[in-house]
């Protein structure tokens, strides 16, 4: 695990601008609609490569909605549509000729509730690679993925047992292993620890710090301590009641380095939220 | 003062059961009534099983499963051709109805969502098909396959007629089975880059297999016992099954034909065939229950 880190340090010395500022995903003036109802407005955010970006904010502010836009999972909701531009390495994610299946192979997702397939532990990991015609050694890929998810030692003797036989925290790490087995570039995590106990949470957070050497991570979290522990950058989303629209609309209030957001935010609402005065 | 219960004026008698109160009486009467209804409902089942067993049991011998029915006036014989015939016709029906029914349900549950009005119409149509009397299905296939000699009275025509009856059961149970597969599993599959059909075939369908099997077994059990659609289509044959384009014997039609004949051996065979039929249906229902409970 040291080698990739070393390589990155060497690279950063040789080419200082390319590391911190490479933008993988970019949202520009995005509004998200469900039918005529505007759920989220004015989201502009640059997600830097090989960093953890956290989305925080009160319930109903649209953080998960924005997250799901990045891998086009909102396509499953019929009335959903997006105004504005979302790009991945400069390519418009919502261009008419973009295949959402290809998008999701590159931008993986870990869900709030652990959701292993009703299959064996082995098949849970192998499913993704199999459907994308992985040609290499499957046993090796399964082992590597499980090792990277810090789950190998706990499951190596029962790979043929059902994924449901694991505890909640193990299931979530299984889901992370499943996601990284298809070798995506970006991993989206939608409150991955909200159903976990503190020890499992800690394991998942350590895992994120490992993964960041090869992946870009966006995490939605309700836990502000978690954001300060794991995230390099933090986006604070807020929601406001709209007159006549019959509901709340979420918006991106502030986006900056995590340290700045939590110690010296620009917006007063951000300060109120991170100091626990509301939310 | 709080600790001294005897000091307050709470009447503990009011907490006791009063069997004479109107509420208690009403409760007792209604409980008795529903118990009586349960018994009434079970009586026909018990009587049918009892009567069929008593009358059919003395012909349960090896000949029954190996011999052809005797010519009128002769003794002995068996119903082997009808047992084989029922199995063949039901197998044909299952081979037709299961793929079509399951695929139809997959479309309803997984792909039809873009236009819910079509979904609703198809479901409505399936419900109507489920309510179509079985004799209508027989007449329909008679007109479609028997009358124009395509291929006429045959095991094939019988199988198609039964398939029409099995379809709605299979579609409805599969549709329901797919709908209760948790949504998160679909998201997970899409999240690792599955196309919709990869998601359905490799994740959603396997998760629903036990419930689908139950539906199929129930449909098979129902089809095996149907007589009306077979009279017009598979007809009957006193001989061994001879290909699927010729008339074929079946247990249900054998019962229908032999029960009303004035010959004792034939009547006995009809009873024995009834018993076998009931046992077949019972066995498949029990199998369905075991299959679902196991997973």
């Amino acid at each position: 695990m040291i080698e990739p880190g070393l390589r990155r340090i060497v690279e950063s010395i040789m080419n200082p601008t390319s590391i911190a500022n490479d933008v993988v995903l970019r949202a520009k003036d995005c509004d998200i609609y469900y039918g005529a109802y505007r759920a989220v407005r004015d989201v502009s955010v640059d997600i830097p490569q090989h960093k953890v970006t956290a989305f925080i904010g009160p319930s109903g502010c649209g953080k998960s909605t924005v997250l799901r836009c990045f891998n086009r999972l909102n396509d499953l909701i019929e009335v959903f549509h997006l105004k504005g531009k979302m790009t991945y390495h400069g390519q418009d994610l919502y261009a008419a000729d973009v295949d959402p299946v290809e998008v999701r192979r590159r931008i993986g997702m870990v869900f709030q509730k652990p959701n292993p397939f009703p299959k064996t532990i082995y098949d849970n990991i192998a499913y993704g690679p199999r459907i994308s015609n992985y040609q290499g050694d499957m046993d090796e890929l399964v082992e590597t993925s499980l090792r990277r998810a810090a789950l190998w030692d706990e499951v190596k003797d029962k790979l043929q047992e059902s994924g449901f036989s694991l505890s909640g925290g193990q299931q979530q790490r299984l889901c992370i292993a499943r996601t990284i087995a298809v070798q995506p570039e970006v991993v989206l995590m939608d409150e991955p620890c909200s159903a976990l106990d503190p020890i499992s949470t800690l394991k998942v957070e350590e895992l994120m710090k490992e993964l960041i050497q090869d992946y870009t991570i966006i995490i939605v979290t309700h836990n502000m301590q978690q954001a300060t522990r794991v995230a390099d950058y933090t986006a604070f989303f807020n929601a406001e009641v709209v007159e006549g629209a019959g509901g709340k609309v979420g918006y991106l209030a502030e986006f900056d380095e995590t340290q700045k957001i939590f110690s010296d935010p620009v917006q007063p609402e951000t300060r109120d939220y991170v100091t626990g005065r509301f939310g | 003062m709080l600790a001294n219960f005897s000091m307050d004026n709470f009447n503990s008698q009011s907490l006791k059961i009063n069997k004479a109160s109107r509420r208690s009486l009403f409760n007792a009467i209604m409980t008795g009534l529903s118990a009586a209804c349960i018994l009434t409902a079970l009586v026909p089942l018990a009587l049918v099983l009892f009567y069929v067993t008593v009358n059919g049991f003395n012909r349960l011998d090896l000949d029954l499963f190996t011999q052809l029915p005797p010519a009128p006036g002769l003794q002995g014989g068996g119903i082997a051709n009808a047992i084989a015939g029922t199995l063949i016709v039901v197998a044909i029906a299952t081979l037709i109805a299961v793929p079509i029914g399951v695929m139809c349900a997959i479309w309803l549950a997984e792909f039809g969502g873009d236009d819910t009005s079509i979904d609703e119409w198809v479901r409505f149509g399936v419900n109507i098909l489920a309510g179509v009397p079985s004799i209508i299905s027989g007449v329909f296939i008679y007109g479609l396959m028997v009358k124009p000699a395509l291929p006429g009275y045959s095991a094939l025509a019988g199988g198609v007629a039964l398939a029409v009856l099995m379809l709605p059961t299979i579609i409805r149970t599969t549709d329901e089975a797919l709908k209760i597969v948790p949504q998160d599993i679909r998201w997970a599959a899409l999240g690792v880059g599955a196309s919709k059909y990869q998601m359905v075939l490799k994740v959603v369908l396997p998760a629903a297999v036990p419930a689908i099997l139950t539906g199929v077994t129930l449909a098979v059990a129902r089809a095996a016992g149907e007589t009306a659609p077979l009279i017009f289509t598979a007809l009957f044959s006193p001989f061994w099954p001879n290909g699927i384009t010729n008339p074929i014997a079946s247990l249900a039609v054998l019962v229908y034909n032999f029960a009303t004949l004035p010959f004792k051996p034939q009547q006995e065979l009809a009873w024995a065939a009834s018993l076998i039929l009931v046992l077949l249906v019972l066995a498949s229902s029990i199998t369905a229950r075991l299959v679902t409970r196991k997973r």
Side-chain angles (χ1 to χ4, degrees), chain A residues 68 76 78 101 104-105 108-109 111 113 115 117-119 127 131 178 182, chain B residues 113-114 184-185 187-195 198-199 202-203 207:
Chain A
R68 282 157 178 260
L76 305 181
E78 281 163 46
V101 173
R104 293 181 200 127
R105 282 187 183 166
M109 181 128 188
F111 297 84
K113 224 178 80 192
N115 55 355
F117 298 132
K119 295 173 180 287
Y127 175 80
I131 58 174
R178 177 177 68 189
V182 291
Chain B
D114 296 344
D184 336 18
I185 291 180
W187 289 339
L190 294 174
V192 292
S195 69
Q198 285 170 326
M199 168 193 92
K202 293 194 184 145
V203 175

Side-chain angles (χ1 to χ4, degrees), chain A residues 56 224-225 227-228 234 257-265 274:
Chain A
I56 61 168
M224 284 185 276
Q225 282 73 41
T228 57
T234 297
E257 286 179 23
T258 302
Q259 208 194 345
K260 180 99 165 43
I261 290 280
F262 281 91
S263 60
D264 183 24
V274 299

Side-chain angles (χ1 to χ4, degrees), chain A residues 192-193 201 205 219-231:
Chain A
C193 303
T201 301
E205 287 178 7
I219 177 174
V220 166
T221 177
H222 268 294
N223 181 334
M224 284 185 276
Q225 282 73 41
Q226 182 169 55
T228 57
R229 285 194 298 264
V230 300

Side-chain angles (χ1 to χ4, degrees), chain A residues 143-209:
Chain A
E143 182 177 339
T144 317
S145 305
L146 285 169
R147 276 190 191 285
R148 302 213 62 183
L151 191 59
W152 175 252
D153 289 333
E154 291 157 68
V155 301
K156 63 183 174 199
D157 298 323
K158 48 176 187 177
L159 291 176
Q160 293 309 318
E161 283 178 32
S162 163
F164 289 130
S165 67
L166 301 174
S167 73
Q170 289 174 326
Q171 285 187 15
Q172 192 63 304
R173 276 178 284 146
L174 178 67
C175 293
I176 293 173
R178 177 177 68 189
T179 304
I180 58 182
V182 291
Q183 291 156 352
E185 188 185 350
V186 183
V187 178
L188 308 177
M189 296 184 163
D190 189 358
E191 296 184 47
C193 303
S194 68
L196 305 187
D197 65 274
I199 292 166
S200 305
T201 301
L202 209 63
K203 282 191 175 167
V204 171
E205 287 178 7
E206 281 166 8
L207 183 57
M208 291 169 67
K209 286 173 189 159

Side-chain angles (χ1 to χ4, degrees), chain A residues 265-277:
Chain A
V266 176
Q267 305 286 343
E269 55 189 332
T270 313
R271 185 179 306 116
D272 286 353
Y273 187 76
V274 299
T275 55
R277 236 170 276 171

Side-chain angles (χ1 to χ4, degrees), chain A residues 61-81:
Chain A
C61 66
K63 358 179 245 304
S64 295
T65 306
V66 173
L67 190 76
R68 282 157 178 260
C69 284
F70 282 125
N71 74 342
R72 294 197 52 175
L73 214 57
N74 282 332
D75 288 20
L76 305 181
I77 301 163
E78 281 163 46
V79 292
F80 160 86
H81 73 271

